[in-house]
């Protein structure tokens, strides 16, 4: 069976469109992969925060994550939700991925910790409720002399 000229032209046109959509799909897939990496897995910053451990909890509806809060020395001034100004303590709210780190924090609430953390651009529900992930306890001491 012979193909006529118009059928051959249509097949060539569709193969060109398929090729363009194929390359476009590859480029969009790579762009999406790069975005996801930089948003959720690239470490944006890291450092150490010190303060008195206020709480360490395990919570979540679908994903149970470890969360905590340090109360840092000093005060900050700011405008509240109602437009009022006031003085409040500095707080560092964080998440923990490692069970062993969480167990130490859970058993030592009220003590002063120096915690090493990593900061990400976005949060993942199974990693925690914050973009700050504590990955190491540098030191722990009693809260003597702190007000």
């Amino acid at each position: 069976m012979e193909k006529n000229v118009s059928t051959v032209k249509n097949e060539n046109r569709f193969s060109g469109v398929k090729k363009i959509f194929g390359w476009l799909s590859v480029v969009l897939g790579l762009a999406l992969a790069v975005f996801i990496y930089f948003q959720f897995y690239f470490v944006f910053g890291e450092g150490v925060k010190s303060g008195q451990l206020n709480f360490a909890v395990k919570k979540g509806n679908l994903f149970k994550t470890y969360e905590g809060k340090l109360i840092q020395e000093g005060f900050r001034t700011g405008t509240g939700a109602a437009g009022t100004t006031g003085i409040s303590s500095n707080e560092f709210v964080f998440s923990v991925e490692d069970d062993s780190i969480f167990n130490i924090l859970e058993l030592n609430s009220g003590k002063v910790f120096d915690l090493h953390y990593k900061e990400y651009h976005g949060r993942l529900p199974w990693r925690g409720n914050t973009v700050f992930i504590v990955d190491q306890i540098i030191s722990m001491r009693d809260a003597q002399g702190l007000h």
Side-chain angles (χ1 to χ4, degrees), residues 88-105:
S88 63
S89 61
N90 290 319
E91 298 176 349
F92 175 58
V93 180
F94 59 89
S95 300
V96 179
E97 283 186 302
D98 190 347
D99 294 344
S100 61
I101 292 174
F102 174 75
N103 291 335
I104 294 170
L105 294 173

Side-chain angles (χ1 to χ4, degrees), residues 11-81:
E11 285 178 3
N12 287 339
R13 184 181 306 145
F14 285 126
S15 71
V17 170
K18 285 181 184 179
K19 190 181 283 188
I20 290 172
F21 278 123
W23 279 108
L24 188 61
S25 298
V26 167
V27 169
L28 288 176
L30 285 173
L32 181 63
V34 167
F35 172 77
I36 289 172
Y37 172 75
F38 278 104
Q39 185 69 22
F40 301 110
Y41 296 100
F42 176 74
V43 177
F44 173 67
E46 58 184 300
V48 176
K49 295 275 188 173
S50 298
Q52 188 172 5
L53 183 65
N54 188 320
F55 66 81
V57 297
K58 181 179 180 180
K59 65 180 183 178
N61 292 321
L62 184 58
F63 297 103
K64 298 292 185 190
T65 59
Y66 303 124
E67 310 298 327
K69 179 167 55 170
L70 284 181
I71 305 297
Q72 299 176 286
E73 288 186 20
F75 297 99
R76 65 183 164 116
T77 58
T79 305

